[in-house]
Amino acid sequence: MASEQTNTTMIPGIAPLRRRHNQFAAWRVKRPFLGGVLLLLAGLIIGYVPLQFAGELIFIGGTFTIIGLVFATFVFLTGVGALAMPEHATIFGVAGVVLSILSLMGALGGLLIGMLIGIIGGNLCVAWKRERKTGDDASAGEASA
């Protein structure tokens, strides 16, 4: 056992990677990470479909293409918002679900795959609960204030 620990500590570059991983893990725990990432992915998938048809539809009137890209952008931005402002995750989750469903009209919902991923991601954002401080942490915070 001791030889395994010395081998991993002797590998150069492991300590900074481990420190960055720990920082990322601490950041990730404080926000609806999976829900936000799924909303980001849904926005990309929903935007992919209109982009494939944009060249052909631009000549005959690409209103649906533009609407699809708008919905895709807003779904993507709800994912960014959920990750950037976790205190408003419920609002971003509901908006992500609604926009994902509405993307069915403009972008075929990313061939339904993007819509389903967006609905799941939005629901995960709505269901996410922020960790509450325990009694000891809360009393220590009040005493220092």
Side-chain angles (χ1 to χ4, degrees), residues 13-30 33:
I14 290 293
L17 289 176
R18 187 169 293 152
R19 186 180 60 233
R20 286 187 182 148
H21 174 71
N22 291 339
Q23 289 172 347
F24 175 71
W27 177 83
R28 187 184 65 200
V29 168
K30 296 176 185 173
F33 185 72

Side-chain angles (χ1 to χ4, degrees), residues 4-79:
E4 289 178 14
Q5 290 177 352
T6 57
N7 288 340
T8 58
T9 57
M10 295 178 64
I11 299 173
I14 290 293
L17 289 176
R18 187 169 293 152
R19 186 180 60 233
R20 286 187 182 148
H21 174 71
N22 291 339
Q23 289 172 347
F24 175 71
W27 177 83
R28 187 184 65 200
V29 168
K30 296 176 185 173
R31 45 199 26 80
F33 185 72
L34 184 59
V37 168
L38 286 177
L39 283 171
L40 293 172
L41 179 64
L44 293 175
I45 292 172
I46 291 169
Y48 178 77
V49 173
L51 285 177
Q52 295 305 309
F53 301 116
E56 291 84 14
L57 293 177
I58 197 115
F59 296 112
I60 59 174
T63 306
F64 286 111
T65 304
I66 293 170
I67 291 171
L69 290 175
V70 167
F71 283 136
T73 303
F74 283 137
V75 170
F76 187 85
L77 289 176
T78 58

Side-chain angles (χ1 to χ4, degrees), residues 87-141:
E87 61 273 6
H88 302 296
T90 303
I91 296 168
F92 287 118
V94 170
V97 169
V98 170
L99 290 168
S100 294
I101 293 170
L102 289 176
S103 72
L104 187 61
M105 290 189 281
L108 297 175
L111 298 177
L112 295 178
I113 296 169
M115 182 184 75
L116 292 174
I117 292 173
I119 290 170
I120 293 169
N123 285 331
L124 287 174
C125 287
V126 170
W128 178 76
K129 299 254 189 262
R130 173 174 255 167
E131 282 189 19
R132 299 287 179 195
K133 291 183 179 180
T134 61
D136 297 333
D137 293 339
S139 63

